[in-house]
Amino acid sequence: MEEKVIKHFALAGNPNCGKTTLFNSLTGSTAHVGNWPGVTVDKREGIYKKGKEKVDIVDLPGIYSLSPYTPEEVVSRNFILDDKPDCVINIVDATNLERNLYLTTQILEMDVPVVVALNMMDVLEKSGDKIDSHELEKRLGVPVVEISALKEKNLDELMTRAIEASCHSRKGVTVLNDSNLIHLIKDCEIAFRGKNVNNPLFHAIKLVENDEIETKNHPDLVKMVDEYKNQFKSDTFGDDFEAIIADDRYKYITKYFAPLIKRSEKTIEGKKKLTLSDKIDKVLTNKWAGIPIFIAILFVIFHFVFSEDLFYLGAMGVNFSMNFEGTAFEGLFWTDGGINSIGVFSANLLNSITGLITTSINGAMEAAKVEPALIGFVCDGVLGGLFAVLGFLPQILWLFLFFSIMEDTGYMARVAFILDRIFRKFGLSGRAFIPMIMGFGCSVPATINTRTLASEEERIATIRVIPFFSCGAKLPILTAVAGGLASSAFHISNPELVTLGMYLLGMIVAIVSVLFMRNTTMRGEVPPFIMELPAYHLPQFKALMIHLWDKCKHFVKKAFTIILLSTILIWFLSNFTWQYQYIGAEDGGVKDSILANIGQLIQPLFTPLGFGSQLRSGGWVFAVAAITGLIAKENVVATLGVLAAFFIGQSVDVEADGGIEAVAIMIQQTGISVPGAIAFIAFNMLTIPCFAAVATAKAELRKGTLKWTLLFWIIVSYVVSTMIYTIGEFWWTSFIWAAVIALTVVGIIYYNKYRDLKKIK
Ligand code: GDP
Ligand code: MG
C-alpha cells in the first residue's frame, strides 16, 4: 500500500476574510466563526481527509500585514517562518481585493509555496462585479482559485492545486522591483544569504522597513540600512523607509492588480450613493444614540427570553389565561394572565417533560416498596439537581441564539467601535470589548481571547473583570432568585428587569474596577484601536446552529459530570449526620446534617451581605450554595434545589420551573430580605468564578498575579454585595458609602499627584 504522507498547510489572511469558515469546511470542525476581526487569536489545527493524502491544516489569526505590531501578526509570521508549512493558502476577500493583496505581497516574499484562495465569490457574483483571476494568477505568479468558503464551492479544486504547489519549492519574489530602495534590499538580501538565514528576501525587506524583530535579531546589519538613510531621502516620506515601502506596495497593487476588477454598473452607482450599510451605521454608531440603542436591543432580547408577560399585555389588563384555565396549556403558554415569552415557553415545555419523568420514577419506586432513602437519593439527589440545571438550557440557548445573531450580522463589531470612545476614558481600548462580550458566554475562551490585547497591564485588568460579564452558567442564579422573589410575597412583577439589572450591574462593576486598576496598580497607555467594520450580512443559519450545538453539548456534558457529582455529594452531606445516620426529608431534620454543621460555621461571614447570621437557623443554605458555586456556578441553584426538599419536609417539584419554586421556598423559610437576596445574586456573580475559569486565568496571567486576582474577586464581590444589602436595608448607609467612595477617589488622586512629583524630581 502507498504510504500516506501528512502535509502541513497554513491558512493566512486578513481578519474577517473567511479563514475560519474555510477551516471548518475543510476539516469538518466547529471552530467559532465571528463577523468581527480578532475572533481567532490562537492558531487552530485540523485534518483535511477528503484527498488522497491527509493534510494537516492550521488556521492562523487574521492579520493585515506581517509587521510585528500585534500579537496576531507575530503568531502568524513566526508560524510561517519557523514551522515552514508545505503550502500557505492565502485567503483573499474578493470583495476587498486591493486591501487584501497588501498582505499577499508580503507572503510572496517568503520562500514558501503559496496558493491564493479568492474567497466570497458568491458575494462578488451577486454584485455583478468580476475579477480576471487568470490574469491575476499570471501576475502574482502563484495559483489563484475562486472559492466560496461558506457555500463550500470549489474547495476540492483549491486543495488539489495547493497539494500540487506543495510538491515544488518556491523562491520568494517581491513587487518592490520598481522601488527606489530595491538596491538596498538586494544588498541586504545578499548579506542575509551570507549569514545562511532562511527567507533572505523577506528578512531583507523587513530589515529595511526597520522592523523591530529584525533589528533586534540582526544588529550587525542595521548599519547598512542606516548608512543608506544618510544619503537617501524621499520627497514625501523623508527617511521613513517603512512608509516608502508600504507606499510602493500600494502603488504596485493599484497599477497591476486593481485594473483586473471589473465593476458592474450597479456597484458604480452604489458607490456614489450612501450604501444601505452606511445609512444603518449612521444611526447605530451615532455618538448619542449608539449606546441607548444597544441597551434597548439588550432589553428586547431579555424580554423575549425571560418575560412571563410578553409585551406587557397582562399588565395592561388583557387576560388570556381565562379560556384555558385548568387545561395543560395554561402553565405552558400563560402566567398570571400574561403570555409567556418564547424562552419561558420552551423552558416550561422541557420542565413539564422532566417533571413527568421524576413523578413516574417516584411513583414506580414507591409502588415497588423501595427504601425511602433510595427514592430520596434518586428523585431528590440525582434527578432534582440535574433537572433544576437542565431546565435552564432552553433559555440559555435562546439567549445565545440572539447574541450570535448580533455577532454574525456584524452589529457587535459596531458596539465595540462605539464603546471604544468610552472605554478609552476608563483606560481600555475597544479591543478589550471583544473578550468581555465573549465573557457573557463563558469566561474560559474570553480569557484566552485577551491575548489580542497588546499591553500587559490592559490584559491583566481585562482578565480580572471578565467574570463580571455574567456567563451562561450564572444565568440560572439570576433567573431563579429573581423568579423566586417574584413568586414570593414581595411583588416584584418583572423578574426579567431584575435579571437585566444584574447584567448591567456586572458591567458597571467591571468599568469601575478597570478605572480603579488603571489608576493604581495597572497603569499604562491605551494602545490605539484600529478596526475595520465588517459588512452587515444576514446571519448564517449553519454558523448559528454550530454555535448553539457547541453550547448545548458543553452544558449537557457539564450537567452530567461535575454538577451531577456535586449534587450527589450535597445530597449525602445534607441527608446524613456525622454519625452516618440517615435523616430523610420527612423528619425535617436537616439541621443536624453534616452540611448544616459546616454551613453554620461559615454563615456569620455573610452577615454583612444579608444572608448570614440574621437568617437564623436556615440561613446557612445560602452560604453553602455560594461555596458549591466555586466548583461550577450551576451548582448554586442545584444546591438550593436539593435542600428545599428537606426544608418543607416533603419532596419539592424542583423541576417544574427550573429552581424558581425551590428558591421561593428558601426565601420563605429563611426570611431573607429582598436586598439580601439581590446581594446573594451579586455575590455569586462577582466572586471567584468556577474552577475552569480560574485555571485558565492562572495559565494566561503573568506568574504571581493569580493570588492578587483571587483576592480582587473576593474583595469586589464582598464589598459590592455588602453595599447592596446595607443600602437596600438601611437607606441612610448610602451616605457612609458615598463618603467611603469619595475618600478613596481623593486618596487615589493625591497619591498619583505625589507620585508624579516624585518622578519629576
Ligand atoms: P476569519 O476572521 O477570517 O476567520 O473569518 P470568519 O470565517 O470568521 O468569517 C467572517 C464572516 O464572513 C462570517 O460571518 C462568515 O459567515 C462570512 N463568510 C466567510 N466566507 C464566506 C463566503 O464565502 N461567502 C459569504 N457570503 N460569506 C462568507
Ligand atoms: Mg477566524
Side-chain angles (χ1 to χ4, degrees):
M1 225 181 98
E2 201 186 341
E3 212 199 331
K4 282 190 182 163
V5 213
I6 288 221
K7 294 211 169 192
H8 301 269
F9 289 2
L11 303 181
N14 285 8
N16 231 31
C17 67
K19 280 179 311 304
T20 305
T21 311
L22 179 64
F23 176 79
N24 286 349
S25 299
L26 290 178
T27 62
S29 22
T30 54
H32 184 93
V33 175
N35 193 6
W36 70 29
V39 166
T40 312
V41 188
D42 214 4
K43 35 188 204 279
R44 223 185 315 245
E45 264 183 282
I47 305 274
Y48 172 79
K49 299 191 183 110
K50 285 189 214 135
K52 258 203 300 270
E53 17 189 352
K54 285 187 188 162
V55 181
D56 178 82
I57 295 185
V58 174
D59 180 23
L60 295 175
I63 45 174
Y64 293 112
S65 123
L66 290 173
S67 314
Y69 287 122
T70 63
E72 289 99 324
E73 284 165 356
V74 178
V75 167
S76 301
R77 167 185 172 140
N78 288 348
F79 185 83
I80 304 178
L81 288 176
D82 303 339
D83 288 47
K84 300 191 189 66
D86 298 302
C87 181
V88 172
I89 299 183
N90 174 208
I91 301 165
V92 165
D93 176 354
T95 62
N96 231 324
L97 188 69
E98 288 136 285
R99 193 202 62 210
N100 275 251
L101 286 177
Y102 182 71
L103 174 68
T104 310
T105 61
Q106 298 177 52
I107 297 177
L108 289 178
E109 284 155 3
M110 296 172 155
D111 297 338
V112 63
V114 176
V115 171
V116 169
L118 213 49
N119 192 26
M120 311 261 182
M121 283 311 289
D122 56 319
V123 184
L124 195 81
E125 273 160 26
K126 233 188 194 160
S127 70
D129 294 358
K130 286 200 171 61
I131 293 178
D132 185 349
S133 56
H134 289 290
E135 188 56 34
L136 183 63
E137 177 166 324
K138 262 194 228 155
R139 295 190 184 179
L140 283 172
V142 295
V144 174
V145 186
E146 298 183 2
I147 64 162
S148 165
L150 189 71
K151 306 260 149 76
E152 309 202 347
K153 250 176 54 199
N154 245 0
L155 303 189
D156 292 338
E157 154 108 10
L158 172 69
M159 287 307 284
T160 313
R161 297 205 61 185
I163 289 170
E164 201 179 282
S166 69
C167 298
H168 313 281
S169 64
R170 194 187 137 272
K171 277 267 155 288
V173 292
T174 179
V175 298
L176 298 170
N177 287 318
D178 301 338
S179 167
N180 288 324
L181 296 177
I182 190 65
H183 295 298
L184 175 61
I185 292 173
K186 290 285 172 206
D187 288 347
C188 291
E189 188 188 354
I190 292 168
F192 273 109
R193 228 180 263 285
K195 287 177 70 176
N196 258 335
V197 171
N198 288 327
N199 294 298
L201 178 63
F202 175 81
H203 287 293
I205 294 171
K206 288 293 164 214
L207 183 75
V208 173
E209 283 180 6
N210 205 11
D211 165 314
E212 203 177 293
I213 297 182
E214 296 305 331
T215 49
K216 203 159 80 199
N217 288 350
H218 306 283
D220 49 323
L221 297 180
V222 175
K223 224 172 58 213
M224 266 172 84
V225 180
D226 285 344
E227 272 168 17
Y228 199 82
K229 263 188 191 163
N230 291 333
Q231 37 170 307
F232 179 88
K233 293 259 184 304
S234 103
D235 301 335
T236 343
F237 301 107
D239 63 359
D240 185 351
F241 284 5
E242 191 182 0
I244 296 174
I245 287 184
D247 187 53
D248 287 339
R249 283 189 204 280
Y250 273 117
K251 277 196 186 123
Y252 190 92
I253 291 171
T254 319
K255 193 164 166 196
Y256 294 103
F257 300 140
L260 301 179
I261 314 169
K262 292 275 165 294
R263 304 256 182 232
S264 70
E265 295 284 310
K266 210 167 85 192
T267 335
I268 296 169
E269 277 297 296
K271 274 261 155 70
K272 283 186 205 143
K273 281 187 269 163
L274 270 186
T275 61
L276 179 64
S277 164
D278 290 335
K279 277 186 203 153
I280 297 175
D281 272 345
K282 272 216 141 131
V283 181
L284 290 186
T285 63
N286 181 284
K287 204 167 164 189
W288 304 109
I291 288 176
I293 291 176
F294 177 51
I295 294 178
I297 291 177
L298 280 185
F299 174 77
V300 170
I301 290 176
F302 277 76
H303 190 67
F304 274 107
V305 178
F306 300 113
S307 178
E308 294 182 344
D309 189 0
L310 202 62
F311 307 126
Y312 298 109
L313 290 173
M316 288 191 282
V318 190
N319 192 345
F320 288 97
S321 57
M322 283 186 313
N323 301 338
F324 294 92
E325 202 114 21
T327 66
F329 287 118
E330 201 195 344
L332 223 48
F333 289 111
W334 329 105
T335 307
D336 298 334
I339 312 181
N340 287 336
S341 60
I342 180 87
V344 173
F345 166 73
S346 32
N348 287 353
L349 188 65
L350 180 68
N351 288 324
S352 46
I353 296 170
T354 53
L356 214 62
I357 297 176
T358 316
T359 333
S360 21
I361 291 181
N362 199 336
M365 285 175 98
E366 266 169 13
K369 300 240 163 10
V370 179
E371 277 284 307
L374 192 59
I375 300 182
F377 171 70
V378 172
C379 292
D380 299 331
V382 178
L383 298 180
L386 194 63
F387 287 160
V389 171
L390 279 184
F392 284 96
L393 188 58
Q395 277 165 314
I396 289 175
L397 290 184
W398 279 111
L399 197 64
F400 281 104
L401 179 70
F402 287 122
F403 278 165
S404 315
I405 291 174
M406 286 211 281
E407 189 186 319
D408 202 27
T409 50
Y411 177 61
M412 283 299 199
R414 268 80 187 171
V415 177
F417 173 76
I418 16 181
L419 285 180
D420 184 60
R421 284 197 291 255
I422 302 176
F423 269 39
R424 218 146 264 288
K425 301 202 174 84
F426 302 122
L428 291 181
S429 66
R431 256 177 180 244
F433 171 70
I434 294 164
M436 285 178 182
I437 204 87
M438 285 173 94
F440 282 129
C442 175
S443 300
V444 171
T447 303
I448 294 171
N449 191 278
T450 57
R451 290 182 201 167
T452 50
L453 301 178
S455 119
E456 182 73 17
E457 282 72 29
E458 187 185 16
R459 191 160 176 235
I460 296 176
T462 309
I463 289 179
R464 287 186 179 161
V465 299
I466 280 175
F468 300 164
F469 295 81
S470 187
C471 74
K474 290 178 187 169
L475 188 63
I477 311 175
L478 308 195
T479 44
V481 179
L485 279 176
S487 73
S488 304
F490 292 111
H491 301 297
I492 291 179
S493 50
N494 296 320
E496 87 264 21
L497 278 186
V498 176
T499 313
L500 178 63
M502 293 318 275
Y503 267 81
L504 292 178
L505 174 79
M507 293 190 232
I508 292 168
V509 173
I511 289 172
V512 174
S513 314
V514 167
L515 198 59
F516 180 79
M517 279 189 271
R518 293 295 267 170
N519 279 298
T520 53
T521 53
M522 294 294 151
R523 279 170 228 276
E525 290 288 311
V526 185
F529 176 54
I530 307 161
M531 177 165 117
E532 190 196 359
L533 295 181
Y536 284 109
H537 61 66
L538 285 177
Q540 298 299 333
F541 183 74
K542 193 175 144 201
L544 289 183
M545 288 306 122
I546 287 178
H547 196 174
L548 284 192
W549 174 236
D550 258 10
K551 263 258 105 61
C552 190
K553 238 176 20 192
H554 176 77
F555 192 84
V556 171
K557 203 170 120 198
K558 221 159 117 195
F560 278 96
T561 50
I562 188 154
I563 296 163
L564 186 60
L565 275 180
S566 345
T567 47
I568 290 176
L569 184 71
I570 290 160
W571 184 86
F572 271 107
L573 292 180
S574 55
N575 266 282
F576 286 89
T577 63
W578 290 105
Q579 287 81 35
Y580 306 112
Q581 245 181 338
Y582 177 68
I583 301 167
E586 278 71 27
D587 306 331
V590 70
K591 288 188 254 358
D592 305 319
S593 66
I594 303 177
L595 194 65
N597 272 307
I598 301 174
Q600 281 150 2
L601 212 64
I602 54 171
Q603 184 178 1
L605 283 178
F606 297 98
T607 309
L609 286 68
F611 50 96
S613 303
Q614 65 269 68
L615 299 185
R616 299 181 314 271
S617 63
W620 55 269
V621 291
F622 290 104
V624 167
I627 299 297
T628 58
L630 297 182
I631 303 168
K633 292 290 165 185
E634 291 91 335
N635 276 339
V636 175
V637 173
T639 305
L640 293 179
V642 173
L643 289 176
F646 305 121
F647 265 77
I648 56 167
Q650 65 182 50
S651 231
V652 184
D653 195 2
V654 190
E655 306 85 48
D657 55 5
I660 290 179
E661 198 194 335
V663 176
I665 289 169
M666 286 306 179
I667 289 173
Q668 280 147 15
Q669 293 286 318
T670 59
I672 190 172
S673 61
V674 177
I678 292 181
F680 175 70
I681 310 181
F683 180 78
N684 282 296
M685 197 171 81
L686 302 175
T687 197
I688 301 177
C690 67
F691 262 9
V694 173
T696 314
K698 180 176 170 11
E700 296 294 320
L701 282 168
R702 199 167 52 200
K703 232 182 136 198
T705 31
L706 182 73
K707 58 176 184 290
W708 298 114
T709 305
L710 291 174
L711 191 68
F712 168 80
W713 284 327
I714 294 174
I715 292 176
V716 169
S717 56
Y718 203 85
V719 170
V720 173
S721 309
T722 306
M723 208 148 108
I724 291 173
Y725 171 67
T726 49
I727 294 178
E729 202 72 39
F730 319 100
W731 62 270
W732 49 266
T733 54
S734 50
F735 296 117
I736 299 176
W737 285 109
V740 170
I741 292 167
L743 274 177
T744 317
V745 172
V746 171
I748 293 173
I749 292 173
Y750 267 89
Y751 172 74
N752 282 346
K753 266 213 184 113
Y754 170 74
R755 192 173 153 271
D756 290 346
L757 277 179
K758 234 170 68 177
K759 235 199 226 150
I760 294 167
K761 276 180 199 162

